[in-house]
Structure formats: C-alpha cells, structure tokens
Amino acid sequence: MASVVLQHQFTVPAAPEVAVSYLMKPSSYVELNGFVIAVRDIHEEEGATVYTAIERLPVLRWHFHSALKVRVRSEEAGTRFVMEVDGRGGVHVRVVTKFTSAPEGAVADDTITLTAPALLRSYTSKQARVGQLHRAQALAARIS
C-alpha cells in the first residue's frame, strides 16, 4: 500500500511541553478532531496511552461511525507528540508533531503519514487534511 504525507506548520500560544501535555489527554482528541465524537477503553500500554476513538465520517449524505485504535506517546522531553491510528479497511495514520519554542509560544511542525488501500486513499487523505487543519486551529484556540 502506498502512503500519502501531509505537512503543516502552525503556531500555538504555549510552551512545547504544555501543547504536548494537552495532546496526550484522550479527551482532547474529541475537542481537536472534528470527526471524533467519543473516546473509551483508555489504558496504558508499553509507555503509551491507548484508547478507542469513535469517528463520525461524512459519506455522501450519511454519516458513518467507525472505531479507531489510537496509541499516543510523548517523546524528546515532552516536545514531540506521536499518534498512531489504526482504522477500518487497512487505513493507518501516523501523526508526528514536533514543537519548538518560539517568542509567541511554540511552532508546531505537523506531519501525517497515511497508508490506505488505493480505493480509500483519496477519500482518507482528504479527511486527514481536514482533520489536520482543524486540529491546528483548535489547539491554538484551546491552549491560549
């Protein structure tokens, strides 16, 4: 399966460690991702927080609910956030957000690597990009 890489840089009005700490909370995923409506089954596993996220995706005129397995961890002394998501249909998403201190708070370099079967790749990459931009905007607003 081929992968698609989506990159985005944005600024948040908080120190890198504050931003990563916020992202590490499963409940923040509901607030930051415009598609996730709930999280459940939260537990620790091998140095990471693992949970199930319920995603509500628009498909034509309907909405489709899907359970995602999410694994998040903090790296590099709390300045790097890593999220791995396994979804239905062979879709895998890896999000790496590196925060660097800046006068206005922190600059985030956000990279999404999405792997999906050919039939799903265009749709899932569009949805991932919408989610990436929404997350950047919501994170900046919520931790200000």
Side-chain angles (χ1 to χ4, degrees), residues 122-141:
S122 176
Y123 175 76
T124 56
S125 63
K126 286 176 188 173
Q127 296 305 316
R129 182 64 172 171
V130 167
Q132 182 180 42
L133 297 176
H134 183 271
R135 185 168 39 90
Q137 194 172 44
L139 180 62

Side-chain angles (χ1 to χ4, degrees), residues 10-82:
F10 59 97
T11 303
V12 295
E17 299 81 7
V18 172
V20 171
S21 177
Y22 185 82
L23 290 172
M24 288 297 298
K25 298 174 191 167
S27 61
S28 71
Y29 196 35
V30 175
E31 298 170 355
L32 295 176
N33 183 313
F35 301 114
V36 174
I37 58 172
V39 294
R40 64 178 188 225
D41 305 325
I42 302 164
H43 62 280
E44 296 296 315
E45 187 178 289
E46 299 176 11
T49 301
V50 178
Y51 54 94
T52 300
I54 306 302
E55 184 175 50
R56 184 175 189 234
L57 292 172
V59 178
L60 300 175
R61 295 182 190 181
W62 300 276
H63 286 92
F64 175 72
H65 289 186
S66 180
L68 308 172
K69 182 180 179 182
V70 180
R71 181 181 183 87
V72 298
R73 67 182 181 279
S74 171
E75 298 178 347
E76 298 181 17
T79 62
R80 184 173 186 232
F81 172 76
V82 179

Side-chain angles (χ1 to χ4, degrees), residues 73-121:
R73 67 182 181 279
S74 171
E75 298 178 347
E76 298 181 17
T79 62
R80 184 173 186 232
F81 172 76
V82 179
M83 173 187 284
E84 295 176 297
V85 181
D86 289 320
R88 287 184 155 174
V91 176
H92 179 78
V93 179
R94 179 178 166 87
V95 179
V96 178
T97 310
K98 172 68 176 153
F99 292 90
T100 307
S101 293
E104 59 277 5
V107 173
D109 288 302
D110 190 65
T111 302
I112 294 177
T113 305
L114 177 127
T115 305
L119 289 175
L120 297 175
R121 197 170 309 120

